[in-house]
Amino acid sequence: MKITLLTVGKIKETYLEAGIKEYVKRLSRYCKLEILEVADEKTPDGASENLERQIREKEGKRLLNLIRPEAYVITLEIQGKQLSSPELARKLERLGVEGVSHITVVIGGSLGLSDEVIGRADFHLSFSAMTFPHQMMRMILLEQLYRCYRIINGEPYHK
């Protein structure tokens, strides 16, 4: 299976870069993984709701341009459905059995995702009702994908 991680912004912290690199290496034995980044927009302090919406729309257009038509799209959203790690593993396994060969997981920028990107999603996933930095979310997601593949393959992984 091919998994595309589509994100807004670049990783700026070296500790996150190291963690991401480690999980990319671990995942390489289970799936074909690509990470695509689109530029983030600068958000001025005290930005109006209208300006924030415009920023999400600009970033959203960039994201949508990189989503392949055949891809099964999962967006990360606070309002999405929360799954346990075994439930997410079963979902990924089921998608593969159903013939899905390409999954794109979208992580928005600091303001979240545009309505258009949310509308393109086949599944809306939430990791928590809490807010996480979008850069850190990339590493958390990769860890969970690695955990899912370990579960799918019946391999041990620490709890």
Side-chain angles (χ1 to χ4, degrees), residues 8 10 13 18 22-23 34 48 58-59 66 70 83 93-94 104 107 113 125 129 132 134 153-155 158-159:
V8 175
K10 296 196 177 297
E13 304 293 337
E22 176 63 26
Y23 284 109
E34 72 175 336
S48 68
K58 283 182 184 178
E59 292 173 347
L66 294 176
E70 75 281 0
L83 300 175
E93 187 173 33
R94 200 167 40 251
T104 297
I107 301 175
L113 295 167
L125 177 64
F132 295 101
H134 62 283
N153 288 289
E155 298 168 351
H158 65 275
K159 297 185 188 244

Side-chain angles (χ1 to χ4, degrees), residues 55-70:
I55 290 169
R56 281 192 301 274
E57 287 174 0
K58 283 182 184 178
E59 292 173 347
K61 282 183 175 47
R62 292 179 190 135
L63 292 168
L64 289 166
N65 284 336
L66 294 176
I67 296 174
R68 306 276 310 223
E70 75 281 0

Side-chain angles (χ1 to χ4, degrees), residues 14-149:
T14 55
Y15 73 94
L16 290 174
E17 285 177 353
I20 289 166
K21 189 178 201 179
E22 176 63 26
Y23 284 109
V24 166
K25 182 176 86 174
R26 291 182 187 193
L27 279 163
S28 68
R29 62 185 281 229
Y30 299 105
C31 66
K32 183 176 182 206
L33 176 71
E34 72 175 336
I35 299 175
L36 302 176
E37 301 171 335
V38 300
D40 56 345
E41 292 289 316
K42 301 295 181 222
T43 305
D45 290 338
S48 68
E49 192 173 308
N50 187 45
L51 179 57
E52 287 185 357
R53 181 186 48 73
Q54 290 174 9
I55 290 169
R56 281 192 301 274
E57 287 174 0
K58 283 182 184 178
E59 292 173 347
K61 282 183 175 47
R62 292 179 190 135
L63 292 168
L64 289 166
N65 284 336
L66 294 176
I67 296 174
R68 306 276 310 223
E70 75 281 0
Y72 183 93
V73 177
I74 299 173
T75 50
L76 296 189
E77 308 170 43
I78 289 175
Q79 302 82 8
K81 182 171 176 61
Q82 291 186 19
L83 300 175
S84 67
S85 297
E87 288 171 333
L88 182 57
R90 282 192 299 272
K91 179 157 190 66
L92 293 178
E93 187 173 33
R94 200 167 40 251
L95 287 171
V97 169
E98 292 170 358
V100 172
S101 61
H102 186 190
I103 296 173
T104 297
V105 185
V106 184
I107 301 175
S110 60
L111 298 176
L113 295 167
S114 70
D115 290 340
E116 198 172 4
V117 173
I118 291 169
R120 171 60 179 89
D122 297 294
F123 187 76
H124 309 271
L125 177 64
S126 173
F127 274 60
S128 173
M130 294 184 276
T131 302
F132 295 101
H134 62 283
Q135 294 182 11
M136 185 176 289
M137 202 58 229
R138 191 182 308 188
M139 187 173 71
I140 294 169
L141 171 65
L142 290 171
E143 187 280 334
Q144 282 300 300
L145 290 173
Y146 175 68
R147 186 178 296 268
C148 285
Y149 278 106

